[in-house]
Amino acid sequence: MLRRATVAWVLLAPLALAACAGSDKTVCRTDIALQDRQHLLLGPVSVNGTKVLGIYDTGAQTSAVTERLVTRLGLLGDDRNSSLMTGVGGEGTPQNDALVDRFELAGFDPGYNHYAVVALPIDSAGDEPTGALVGADLLGHFDIDLDVANGKAVLYDPDRCTDAPPAWQASAIKVPLDMIWGSGRLVLTVKVDGQDVRALLDTGASASVIDLQAALRLGVPAATLDHEMNGEGFGAAGVNFHRAVHMFRTLEIAGERYDAPKLSVLDRNLHEADMLLGLDWLRQHHVLISFRRRLLLIERPTGVG
């Protein structure tokens, strides 16, 4: 999950409207090869015509470019706009946005002319460095057929598609989603230890996370969490954090029950939700995420009708 607070130093309304016109060169279907690297989901995106790897993050309100990509492409800073990126680890350091002509995912460009600049935990890992964070502002244009376990996704543009959907979707488990006003992110209701919990569907979370106050409401003793505070993590805002790892009794999602689930517990206000439903769950399920229909489809196991 990543939130962005933007400060606009100069307000130029006519120019802002022109800059957000965007462009749509999409087709019905775009097949994507995914990488599951260091517990983060990576896929291709284009910045100023250069193909780079980006973290696909439905929990991020807006997309961003990395400090390394700014240097690589020689992107200029925007002295009119700066951003403070906030994630589960806390707040990063405010800095000027980068000026970007084109930021495209599968042919779709929302038309912004400036993007936040972030330091990412895998900025220098692997043969190909990560260049961007791809948030709900781009991903929300598509229906996303996501198969993390097999390293692939299909991006469907609902405006372009007229064919019938794949057969698995017709018999899939349908879970309604709520869209958070103003951010475009998606929330569903799950059950933890038999009680309803609001969970943000977050492909950018390496593991599922529950807020400390929600854990306490569920009856987990504070002393137990203090004793379990032995994990560490790194947030996309560039901040290290400590976490507890607690074993709850049950987790229920769309009628499927998991016994003795281990969830990270953070003393951090997750704002619109009590929990992040992350890649640890998505690796086990083939899903379709539809922002427009506000619907999550989960493929039924073979032999289950």
Side-chain angles (χ1 to χ4, degrees), residues 185-256:
R185 296 179 293 181
L186 301 171
V187 177
L188 66 154
T189 299
V190 304
K191 288 185 180 294
V192 179
D193 290 352
Q195 298 185 44
D196 285 349
V197 172
R198 298 284 285 168
L200 183 75
L201 188 60
D202 192 353
T203 61
S206 58
S208 296
V209 171
I210 192 166
D211 178 67
L212 173 62
Q213 295 304 315
L216 295 174
R217 288 197 303 270
L218 292 171
V220 181
T224 298
L225 294 174
D226 287 341
H227 179 71
E228 295 172 336
M229 189 67 69
N230 54 12
E232 293 186 347
F234 189 99
V239 181
N240 290 300
F241 58 88
H242 296 280
R243 60 188 172 89
V245 180
H246 181 73
M247 182 182 292
F248 291 82
R249 294 191 301 276
T250 60
L251 170 64
E252 187 174 332
I253 302 170
E256 185 176 11

Side-chain angles (χ1 to χ4, degrees), residues 169-176 254 295-298 300:
Q169 295 181 20
S171 60
I173 301 167
K174 296 177 174 59
V175 181
L295 188 66
L296 174 68
L297 303 183
I298 307 171
R300 294 182 185 273

Side-chain angles (χ1 to χ4, degrees), residues 2-189:
L2 200 62
R3 302 174 74 244
R4 174 187 184 184
T6 301
V7 178
W9 300 114
V10 178
L11 180 61
L12 298 173
L15 291 179
L17 290 173
C20 291
S23 64
D24 188 349
K25 302 175 183 177
T26 61
V27 294
C28 168
R29 169 183 177 138
T30 302
D31 291 87
I32 300 289
L34 299 173
Q35 295 184 33
D36 188 348
R37 183 197 295 177
Q38 291 184 234
H39 309 293
L40 291 170
L41 190 64
L42 307 182
V45 64
S46 175
V47 179
N48 284 357
T50 298
K51 182 179 176 181
V52 300
L53 279 178
I55 296 177
Y56 285 15
D57 187 355
T58 59
Q61 179 177 344
T62 60
S63 300
V65 293
T66 65
E67 294 174 346
R68 172 172 287 210
L69 188 67
V70 168
T71 301
R72 175 185 169 191
L73 298 185
L75 301 177
L76 298 177
D78 183 354
D79 58 6
R80 294 188 178 96
N81 295 281
S82 66
S83 296
L84 175 66
M85 304 301 285
T86 303
V88 294
E91 292 184 348
T93 302
Q95 58 180 309
N96 287 351
D97 289 358
L99 295 171
V100 176
D101 293 327
R102 301 185 309 282
F103 196 123
E104 295 178 322
L105 175 65
F108 174 70
D109 177 3
Y112 312 138
N113 63 354
H114 62 93
Y115 286 84
V117 180
V118 295
L120 293 178
I122 57 173
D123 222 9
S124 59
D127 297 330
E128 185 177 357
T130 307
L133 180 80
V134 185
D137 52 344
L138 270 78
L139 293 169
H141 183 79
F142 301 94
D143 285 351
I144 307 168
D145 186 328
L146 186 60
D147 188 355
V148 178
N150 290 305
K152 59 184 181 180
V154 182
L155 303 182
Y156 293 100
D157 185 340
D159 293 332
R160 310 283 188 186
C161 293
T162 57
D163 296 337
W168 76 265
Q169 295 181 20
S171 60
I173 301 167
K174 296 177 174 59
V175 181
L177 301 170
D178 293 327
M179 181 173 285
I180 300 169
W181 184 87
S183 74
R185 296 179 293 181
L186 301 171
V187 177
L188 66 154
T189 299

